[in-house]
Amino acid sequence: MAAQLLDGKIMAAELEEQLKSRVAELVSQGFVPGLTVILVGEDPASQTYVNNKEKACQRLGIRSVTLRMPEQTTQEELETAIEEANADPSVHGILVQLPLPGHLDSDRALSLILPEKDVDGFHDVNAGRLSRGLDCTVACTPKGALYMLKQAGISISGKEAVVVGRSNIVGKPMALLLLKENATVTVCHSRTADLAAHTRRADILVAAIGKPRFITADMVKDGAVVVDVGINRVDGKLCGDVDFEPVAQKASWITPVPGGVGKMTIAMLMDNTVAAVEKVFGK
Ligand code: NDP
């Protein structure tokens, strides 16, 4: 492998150490950070994500409450749960685990979370502020991906950045973050004509597609920085959206899957939660 590894495991562990000190400082002043996670239904991947979030809270000393609601939960019941968490002063962060069962309106639910408790950064206010380049809570996965680039000292300003994927939770905020860092950003999606012509121009290539090993070596420029956001399960094993081994031969830096951006996502959720408490108490 020619590329250097952007190691999410190491970076997340280092960030957790800093977060532990920030939490300890808050707790010593009587402020215990509180995160409420709302999980509706039985989706196995969601259950795993929520378990991992609970474990991270335990490691850091954040008080976490998971409201496990049945599959047949109504919109009204979900909204009541959100409003109760909004009104609870011991709750500083609220997260509704996505995807919600199909009969529920996730946009409406997310819009009810108070923007200052929206630790996922999905609320319209936070998304809108990000698009204007203003201070806001940034969605955890793109925030984590940007953090990795910065930690590795990779320069972004003036670089050609290509983001494949335009979802509200990954692709769009990723593109906005890179734009804020003065990259020249192209966003590609399923209707992009000649995708490879775009990806081959990229100094920084972010794959957030949801298709296993979709980005192949011939789509990548020599020396590119490749950030693989994808998490796919193939034959029981996790893999990303990038064909890792051949692409790693061409790239200068690459994130692995597992052990890359995914590790940073939870660390950034913890960071957003601690920051939400620090804001309340003027830290
Ligand atoms: P979405 O399905 O919401 O978005 C996928 C995007 O990829 C869409 O914009 C879609 O285009 C685009 N796309 C699909 N097919 C193609 C194609 N053939 N060529 C170009 N673009 C294409 O997924 P998410 O953004 O939620 O997630 C993306 C991946 O990241 C998934 O693997 C997911 O599991 C993973 N993920 C990882 C996280 C982490 O912690 N590491 C967190 C969140 C997600 P269009 O808009 O036109 O449909």
Side-chain angles (χ1 to χ4, degrees):
M1 182 175 109
Q4 296 188 69
L5 212 56
L6 287 161
D7 192 324
K9 233 174 162 176
I10 293 177
M11 289 189 199
E14 286 168 358
L15 179 61
E16 271 202 11
E17 284 310 309
Q18 295 166 25
L19 286 166
K20 269 184 198 160
S21 316
R22 282 164 65 193
V23 172
E25 167 77 15
L26 286 164
V27 171
S28 73
Q29 295 173 50
F31 311 127
V32 180
L35 174 68
T36 289
V37 176
I38 300 176
L39 172 63
V40 186
E42 305 292 330
D43 179 59
S46 294
Q47 309 258 5
T48 306
Y49 292 138
V50 167
N51 289 342
N52 290 340
K53 287 166 189 175
E54 283 174 333
K55 282 185 198 150
C57 285
Q58 277 164 15
R59 288 197 297 274
L60 297 186
I62 294 174
R63 195 179 64 87
S64 84
V65 173
T66 303
L67 300 177
R68 290 186 161 78
M69 304 180 77
E71 185 81 26
Q72 62 275 19
T73 297
T74 63
Q75 184 75 23
E76 201 184 341
E77 286 164 340
L78 173 61
E79 292 181 8
T80 302
I82 293 170
E83 271 153 11
E84 282 172 6
N86 275 343
D88 185 341
S90 73
V91 175
H92 308 94
I94 303 170
L95 181 154
V96 175
Q97 184 65 42
L98 300 178
L100 288 170
H103 66 280
L104 295 173
D105 181 342
S106 50
D107 282 344
R108 198 183 137 85
L110 294 178
S111 73
L112 287 177
I113 298 173
L114 287 174
E116 58 271 29
K117 294 193 179 189
D118 165 40
V119 282
D120 249 344
F122 295 163
H123 192 281
D124 295 344
V125 166
N126 285 314
R129 289 181 68 85
L130 179 66
S131 78
R132 298 194 60 186
L134 300 172
D135 180 43
C136 62
T137 303
V138 177
C140 303
T141 300
K143 182 178 174 177
L146 181 70
Y147 180 91
M148 295 177 94
L149 298 177
K150 289 193 164 178
Q151 281 297 105
I154 292 164
S155 86
I156 302 173
S157 180
K159 295 289 161 60
E160 287 282 341
V162 176
V163 179
V164 188
R166 57 174 166 180
S167 71
N168 289 325
I169 63 170
V170 189
K172 272 186 212 154
M174 187 75 235
L176 289 166
L177 287 175
L178 290 164
L179 192 59
K180 199 173 177 192
E181 297 294 326
N182 299 312
T184 302
V185 183
T186 304
V187 182
C188 300
H189 45 79
S190 66
R191 312 291 173 87
T192 298
D194 199 356
L195 178 66
H198 294 285
T199 58
R200 274 190 215 114
R201 280 190 296 104
D203 300 311
I204 299 170
L205 177 60
V206 180
I209 310 159
K211 294 205 152 99
R213 303 190 189 102
F214 183 84
I215 301 289
T216 48
D218 60 312
M219 298 169 78
V220 176
K221 175 167 131 176
D222 278 323
V225 175
V226 179
V227 177
D228 189 353
V229 178
I231 300 182
N232 309 289
R233 197 169 280 277
V234 178
D235 300 331
K237 279 179 112 181
L238 289 187
C239 74
D241 290 345
V242 173
D243 193 11
F244 183 82
E245 292 297 343
V247 171
Q249 294 303 322
K250 284 182 96 175
S252 57
W253 291 91
I254 191 165
T255 62
V257 178
V261 178
K263 286 278 170 204
M264 294 311 300
T265 297
I266 291 192
M268 287 301 156
L269 172 67
M270 298 298 112
D271 187 52
N272 283 349
T273 304
V274 175
V277 191
E278 289 169 339
K279 257 185 211 151
V280 172
F281 297 108
K283 301 285 153 203

